[in-house]
Amino acid sequence: MSPTSQPTPVPEPDSAPGPAALQPLLPSDPSALAGYRLLGRLGAGGMGVVYLGRTDTGALAAVKVTHADQADQPDFRARFRREVEAARRVVSPWAVPVTGADPDAPEPWMATAFVPGPSLGEAVRAHGPLPERSVRILGGAIARALAAVHAAGLVHRDVKPGNILLAVDGPRLIDFGIARATGETGLTSTDMVVGTPGFLAPEQAEARAAEIGPASDVFALGCLLAFAATGRPPFGTGALDALLYRTVHDEPDLAGLPEPLLDLVRQCLAKEPAARPTADEIAVRLTEDTPGAPADWLPAPVVSTIAARSAAMLALPDIDATEVPTAPPTKSRRGFLLLGAGAAVLAAGGGAYALWNSRRDGSDADGKPPAPKPRNTWAIGVLADLSGPAQEIGRAQERGARLAVERFNAVHKGKPFTLELKVSDDRGDRGGAFAAARRLTSDPSVIAVLGPTSDDTGINALPAFEEAGVPLLTTSAGYNLFTLRGETGPPNTTVLRAIPSHFMAGTFLAWSTTLLPQVRRPGVLQERTDDQYSWQYVSGARFGFRQAGLEPHFRVVPGRATDYRSILGEMIDAGIDTYVHCGVRSTAVLAARALDELGFTGPRFTGQHVFGSKFLKEAGSAAEGWFVCAPVIDPVQRAADTKQKPADRKATQDFLDAYRRRYGADPAFYTGESFDVVNLVTSWLSSNAAKGPLTRKGLWEALRKQKYSGAMGGYTFDKNGELSGVGTFLYGVQKGAYKFLGAAPAEPANTKSGKS
């Protein structure tokens, strides 16, 4: 990074700090900071110091501390706070997480998970270029990390070998010191070159601030891949001005790059941002044909370096007991102690894993546990799919929860406790869902969790919540077994479902068709891609049509079926006048196209797993005229609905205004409901904080009894934790967009007998 382009408070060393680089503390250094015992120095610069810290549980962290004179400079704290906020907004297993921070301290500090492996730059300099498979896995993981950065509305702006740490379970992206919200130009001069020459995009090299965006990180990733595979930067080395000139005007030197990687790297290094692929696209292209597991992804010499450093970490001296001083700290920085709760990070086998550990027992000599002490900080957890097939919903849920937590802290500033948001990405992977849940439930500060995004991951994660007694509130998982355990099973005391079950949603869908008087012979297709979902929807629809006095024509097909023209042609020949699709989005697209080709003009209905922007995009004009039932409301349309009570419209508008200020756009579907559900929890917490120490015990029942009115409507729950009322809403596809038509009916609106 050039001397003129360093807004980051404490520069990270280009080679990752490890035990070999650990230097002893100086007499002027503190011995402890915010619950971290400092073991040595990892790096230092004109703006501050990076220490190796350890909690009383033995977890290691890199603790960045800035000098007080830097903190007093104009705009400094704003930059540091932005760095902390940026790092916290990025949720990815391939980005090193923040474990604690205080931008408002006399000497602002931030702690991140410590990875004992070398940086990519150090590894390549010591052991040479990486083999093709290693480069693919490296690039795929960093591309996923950047996708999370971009999904959070940020641009990293300094993707370089020194900011990639290597662990045996994969690489980690670090340092958000100069990350910036997309399109943001504040706090930095518009003619300042920000980043590291040799790994800058042309728009960065020429300081074209308005053009710097996610595609700039993609260009840097292309440089990174070329460096990893060849051992040299694609635009050479030397004087900074020469590097910047070559980046803008010259073609990259890719000699020696493996042939299968050439095309992708060239696309990443396109001079025009619009010509580059997205980070998500790169992740797929780099990993789709990579064989084997990532455990052996690095060459043996690099693994040996990681192992040696990990062993050195385990050999660090034990921490002596430290008593909390009763008097104010002295002016000497050694012994300066700020009490805080840092998240624990265990360095194991070279990888850094977040382990949210409880405190030590603390029992007295008689074995009696101490009386619970009020916490200064509690956390709301989010278990969501942020990088898998349902990431569009998961990211909306995370944003809604984050906005609710920030609102609570702003309104309740100075009250007995503050709230944090702790997020765990299950990636839509049912195999890793339990571990993703345990990252939250084993953290004693997490009092309730929003999630899951999907049925499959939720069912696998549920035992973790049941074991820990942590309430789980979902705005998108409709599988009936979350709340209904059968006559012989234990009652639900864990899940509050803020949407109808799939069975009830299928019933409301069937009743929605009866709003149209011409419906007499509906055709119901059950396709079995997601068998539990489609079966429950069909079961609900069967019940609903029976209540309406209608006799549907049912058809069941396997999930692998693709010839929807023949399937639906048979249903049309059987005399159907309405089509109801009980299946997933991909097959609804096939059905929409087939119905268009067959000239079917009757109404077409479908449910939750089809609803979303992808159906509109993939089905195109064939989506026109479809009716889709979903458990969410468009807040923009709700705020504009003059039929709403003034107080309800104001609540919705206040949410919209807050979201637009925070994210600069209108909220996606599922954001408002997630905002409401977290506010349901926080409203109870704020009302009961003064009554005694808050605990998880009894919280599910207390929340279940709440009658909460939020931005998207009212929420009450029955004895099983199910949402009371309808909770399903009807949309029509008009001109390529969803038009909100209102709530689904609570009973059949039109039957053969003429009931209305």
Side-chain angles (χ1 to χ4, degrees), residues 99 241 277 440 464 476 524 537 580 600 632 735:
T99 60
D241 55 349
L440 296 173
S476 57
V524 181
Y537 250 76
V580 179
F600 182 76
V632 288
K735 298 181 180 179

Side-chain angles (χ1 to χ4, degrees), residues 368-395:
K368 296 180 180 179
K373 297 179 180 179
R375 282 184 174 273
N376 293 325
T377 302
W378 285 96
I380 299 294
V382 174
L383 176 68
D385 179 0
L386 300 174
S387 55
Q391 60 182 267
E392 182 177 3
I393 298 174
R395 291 173 179 173

Side-chain angles (χ1 to χ4, degrees), residues 209-274:
E211 297 180 40
I212 296 173
S216 306
D217 286 344
V218 167
F219 188 96
L221 179 57
C223 295
L224 191 82
L225 294 174
F227 173 83
T230 67
R232 63 183 187 280
F235 297 100
T237 59
L240 298 183
D241 55 349
L243 274 174
L244 297 177
Y245 180 89
R246 290 197 294 267
T247 298
V248 174
H249 300 287
D250 288 1
E251 291 301 311
D253 174 13
L254 301 179
L257 192 72
E259 182 67 26
L261 296 175
L262 265 175
D263 186 57
L264 176 60
V265 172
R266 282 183 179 136
Q267 291 178 38
C268 292
L269 298 180
K271 302 298 185 187
E272 292 300 321

Side-chain angles (χ1 to χ4, degrees), residues 61-211:
V63 184
K64 177 187 292 188
V65 185
T66 58
H67 296 324
D69 57 343
Q70 294 291 332
D72 291 335
Q73 291 182 6
D75 294 335
F76 176 84
R77 285 189 187 274
R79 289 194 180 110
F80 191 85
R81 183 175 290 105
R82 189 183 62 213
E83 176 182 4
V84 173
E85 291 174 352
R88 281 177 165 165
R89 282 165 63 181
V90 177
V91 180
S92 170
W94 312 119
V96 174
V98 173
T99 60
D102 187 357
D104 297 315
E107 294 178 313
W109 63 273
M110 177 175 69
T112 58
F114 178 75
V115 181
S119 71
L120 174 64
E122 182 182 1
V124 169
R125 285 193 296 271
H127 305 293
L130 299 180
E132 179 186 341
R133 179 173 179 272
S134 298
V135 175
R136 282 182 170 275
I137 295 176
L138 170 84
I142 299 306
R144 287 188 172 88
L146 288 175
V149 171
H150 302 158
L154 299 169
V155 185
H156 188 283
R157 303 201 304 170
D158 199 20
V159 180
K160 62 179 181 179
N163 280 341
I164 308 299
L165 303 185
L166 306 183
V168 292
D169 66 329
R172 301 292 192 278
L173 176 67
I174 66 169
D175 200 353
F176 291 83
I178 60 171
R180 183 63 50 80
T182 305
E184 180 186 355
T185 58
L187 299 178
T188 302
S189 172
T190 55
D191 61 354
M192 179 182 290
V193 176
V194 179
T196 302
F199 295 87
L200 291 176
E203 59 269 24
Q204 287 177 284
E206 292 190 318
R208 305 195 303 264
E211 297 180 40

